[in-house]
Amino acid sequence: MKKTLLATAVIGALGASAAAQAATVYDQDGTRLDVYGRIAMGIEGGGPEFNSDNEAIDNGPEFVDVFSRLGLRMSQEVTSDLTAFGRLEWRFDGDENTTDGGFNELRQSYLGLQSKQYGTFQAGNFDSFYSQFVSQPFDVYIFADSDLEFAGHSKQSRGDSIGYYTPDLQGFTAFLQLKYYSERGLKETGPRLNTDGNVVGTSEEGSVIAPQGGVRYQQGPFTVGLGFVEDVVRGGGNGEMLGGLIGSYDVNDQFSVRLGYEGREHSDEGFGNGYDKVGLGGTYTTGPWAFTADIYDVSEDGADGDDRTAWALGSYYRVSSNFDVFLELNQRDQQSIDVTIGGGDGPVSVERADGDDIYYLTGARYHF
């Protein structure tokens, strides 16, 4: 699946494309197996000074794994037009000695068929098509491992999913994905709880399907995606429709800009408020360097809703084709809150966006 011009610019500067760095283990008679991955470690600090219960927390620095992974890509030519493919990808803890073998997540596990004439069908555990075709221009930051403020890789996806996207039709690519939430094996009455004890569904509701779809247009330096996601409660949403219109423009070989809108209606059910978000950003590359900057205007609905302005900055340096270093900053601009400090007589107003809660991540990655 083609990346946007923006993502391609960053990848070119960093030499960080898994596909480019993958080692071909076998390639004969139309059958191919590639191994790829990265070892990434860094130091993070800053971020929120209070948790969801308005309790002060330590936001000091920590040595962390930065989304290290190991993956396999497999494909076999069935005919001159049809290719069968599969993919497996695991995440592992690169910064600690763990007792579970290090692997902590099966990030990708899917198979499918790709036809140059009819398009691609796949099933299993894979990234959200909305993220791949719509919000991808903003997927440039390492710390988020997603699209920062816009819906990310796992939005109503990652497991029990099927999807289809068309071949390139004069610049247009349409997509449709269905995520299935089953209640097979649950008791016939009573609440369905998640691991935190929260009610996320009942057997009376039955199984739930969360669709997402849209269209992307790519032509020369211009890319724009329009899509929707039925953000069902079962998948951590609020039961309302999410929609986005996001694009990027390659001004020249070194500079790209991106602009997008994403919104979701408010609901008193499920998780999260409704919101309207507008994002503006750009990427500049020169030699081994790449720089990114993004700003978001966020208007949240509901009793706990706030209007805020979030921003992110990133700088990246390619030491070699396989090795890069980075520094990223993010300020979510959380509003002031009332907390009780030191057993005082009453709550004290604390400004959370005071500069001390700016999140930072710096480190290095080796790609193979």
Side-chain angles (χ1 to χ4, degrees):
M1 196 177 299
K2 292 177 61 181
K3 285 191 173 284
T4 62
L5 292 169
L6 171 64
T8 303
V10 177
I11 288 169
L14 300 182
S17 170
Q21 303 298 332
T24 300
V25 177
Y26 183 86
D27 187 2
Q28 187 174 349
D29 300 328
T31 299
R32 177 168 177 162
L33 173 63
D34 292 335
V35 178
Y36 68 93
R38 69 175 180 234
I39 301 173
M41 288 174 282
I43 298 173
E44 70 174 354
E49 299 176 280
F50 297 87
N51 61 19
S52 59
D53 295 324
N54 291 338
E55 299 170 328
I57 58 174
D58 189 333
N59 67 348
E62 180 184 7
F63 192 73
V64 294
D65 175 86
V66 188
F67 311 111
S68 299
R69 62 190 59 176
L70 175 66
L72 303 173
R73 286 191 179 93
M74 300 148 278
S75 65
Q76 184 178 47
E77 293 182 6
V78 181
T79 68
S80 59
D81 178 68
L82 185 65
T83 299
F85 63 87
R87 182 176 176 185
L88 282 172
E89 184 177 291
W90 301 268
R91 279 185 175 152
F92 59 87
D93 297 316
D95 67 319
E96 295 179 349
N97 179 18
T98 60
T99 58
D100 59 359
F103 289 97
N104 55 29
E105 181 185 356
L106 180 60
R107 187 174 183 271
Q108 308 271 0
S109 176
Y110 62 89
L111 49 81
L113 295 171
Q114 183 174 45
S115 168
K116 300 174 185 176
Q117 182 177 2
Y118 298 107
T120 299
F121 174 84
Q122 63 187 57
N125 170 26
F126 51 86
D127 288 345
S128 158
F129 276 8
Y130 176 89
S131 174
Q132 295 182 54
F133 287 99
V134 180
S135 59
Q136 191 181 59
F138 283 83
D139 184 13
V140 295
Y141 290 94
I142 300 169
F143 72 84
D145 196 40
S146 64
D147 310 310
L148 199 58
E149 292 287 346
F150 292 146
H153 301 158
S154 61
K155 174 59 71 174
Q156 299 297 349
S157 191
R158 292 285 176 82
D160 299 332
S161 297
I162 59 174
Y164 168 80
Y165 57 92
T166 67
D168 188 305
L169 304 173
Q170 297 183 335
F172 288 94
T173 303
F175 65 93
L176 176 65
Q177 179 183 336
L178 302 176
K179 164 74 172 182
Y180 184 65
Y181 295 94
S182 173
E183 292 200 337
R184 176 179 170 85
L186 297 182
K187 60 184 180 180
E188 294 183 358
T189 59
R192 178 179 185 272
L193 308 179
N194 63 12
T195 55
D196 296 324
N198 299 314
V199 177
V200 295
T202 67
S203 55
E204 286 88 348
E205 294 176 338
S207 301
V208 175
I209 296 177
Q212 58 183 280
V215 62
R216 181 186 64 186
Y217 178 74
Q218 285 186 318
Q219 195 66 255
F222 181 73
T223 299
V224 63
L226 174 66
F228 75 91
V229 180
E230 184 65 39
D231 206 5
V232 302
V233 175
R234 195 72 56 82
N238 69 348
E240 297 293 335
M241 187 75 73
L242 176 154
L245 177 63
I246 300 172
S248 65
Y249 181 74
D250 190 22
V251 179
N252 53 43
D253 292 340
Q254 293 180 291
F255 183 55
S256 295
V257 294
R258 49 191 172 270
L259 175 66
Y261 165 82
E262 186 176 278
R264 183 181 70 182
E265 291 297 320
H266 179 69
S267 172
D268 292 329
E269 298 181 1
F271 305 89
N273 295 323
Y275 59 81
D276 292 285
K277 299 180 180 181
V278 176
L280 173 66
T283 296
Y284 178 75
T285 63
T286 175
W289 286 95
F291 303 94
T292 60
D294 291 85
I295 188 168
Y296 294 83
D297 180 76
V298 181
S299 176
E300 297 182 343
D301 301 326
D304 299 326
D306 288 321
D307 292 338
R308 56 188 178 86
T309 302
W311 57 263
L313 297 172
S315 60
Y316 316 87
Y317 181 76
R318 184 185 63 201
V319 179
S320 70
S321 60
N322 293 71
F323 190 86
D324 62 76
V325 295
F326 57 87
L327 170 64
E328 295 182 336
L329 304 174
N330 174 228
Q331 168 63 273
R332 288 182 54 83
D333 190 27
Q334 297 171 306
Q335 303 301 310
S336 62
I337 57 174
D338 292 333
V339 299
T340 299
I341 299 177
D345 295 332
V348 177
S349 181
V350 175
E351 182 65 35
R352 290 193 290 183
D354 58 2
D356 292 334
D357 66 338
I358 294 177
Y359 175 85
Y360 65 86
L361 175 68
T362 184
R365 304 184 298 174
Y366 184 88
H367 308 267
F368 58 91

